[in-house]
Amino acid sequence: MATDFAPNFNKRPDPSSALCSLAAITAHELSPVSVLKSLEDGLATTFGYILLTVLVYDAEMRTLRRIFSTRPDINPVGGTKPVTESDWMKRVLGRGIPYIGYSREDLESVFFDHEVLWSIGCESVLNMPIVDAGKVLGSINMLHGPGWYSPEDIPTARVFAQLMVPLLLRS
């Protein structure tokens, strides 16, 4: 992917506190609202985002269902979208490999609603699959300004995603 800007790979704060809080809540809390609020707060502190969504993947029906959104005005909870055969789908939902889009062009190549995303300032994305025993259950999707996410963010984002497994198994 060619880009015409210098990526903004900011040094991220220590995620320990946010991860510990989320782990405690997922271990003891049955409320999806509490778990998702803790995820929202932890990801905001650790990475930052303009838009955060959590999606559940139904491989049989080939759909994604949104169970959380920080912008329900443009990405409503409960909304579904069909999963089409694409390189992004094969990577993220098929093999469980994270995807980073660094630019507007990258967003355009994977999101049909890229113009809506651009209109709120989103020009990069980190799609982190939520995986249980090799099966993709869904994804966490963080979007921000250009070049916001980097490969160095993936290990920490993966821990956040794995803490969502119990919630998605109950969804």
Side-chain angles (χ1 to χ4, degrees):
M1 285 177 233
T3 58
D4 60 352
F5 61 87
N8 182 16
F9 300 150
N10 299 319
K11 181 164 174 43
R12 304 292 189 215
D14 181 354
S16 302
S17 177
L19 287 168
C20 287
S21 294
L22 181 57
I25 286 174
T26 60
H28 300 287
E29 183 69 51
L30 296 177
S31 164
V33 172
S34 297
V35 172
L36 291 166
K37 177 65 175 148
S38 182
L39 176 70
E40 175 185 16
D41 294 345
L43 293 175
T45 301
T46 304
F47 301 105
Y49 52 78
I50 292 170
L51 172 63
L52 169 66
T53 63
V54 179
L55 301 169
V56 174
Y57 177 49
D58 184 331
E60 282 185 32
M61 299 298 293
R62 297 191 55 83
T63 59
L64 287 165
R65 179 176 46 90
R66 196 173 302 106
I67 63 168
F68 180 82
S69 174
T70 57
R71 291 291 307 265
D73 56 321
I74 60 169
N75 284 138
V77 171
T80 61
K81 52 186 172 180
V83 174
T84 58
E85 199 65 29
S86 68
D87 289 340
W88 180 93
M89 178 276 181
K90 291 174 189 171
R91 176 188 181 100
V92 177
L93 301 177
R95 297 192 316 263
I97 299 171
Y99 172 79
I100 298 175
Y102 300 96
S103 66
R104 289 172 68 112
E105 293 77 19
D106 293 341
L107 264 62
E108 184 175 16
S109 73
V110 296
F111 296 116
F112 73 91
D113 59 347
H114 57 274
E115 290 181 358
V116 173
L117 299 173
W118 293 346
S119 75
I120 62 167
C122 296
E123 296 188 28
S124 66
V125 66
L126 172 54
N127 299 121
M128 180 54 62
I130 301 167
V131 183
D132 181 53
K135 179 183 175 190
V136 176
L137 303 177
S139 68
I140 294 173
N141 312 292
M142 295 181 285
L143 294 98
H144 213 302
W148 192 263
Y149 303 105
S150 77
E152 289 78 22
D153 293 329
I154 290 174
T156 302
R158 181 172 281 123
V159 177
F160 278 102
Q162 290 313 112
L163 289 170
M164 292 294 98
V165 167
L167 176 70
L168 268 61
L169 287 175
R170 290 190 309 261
S171 292

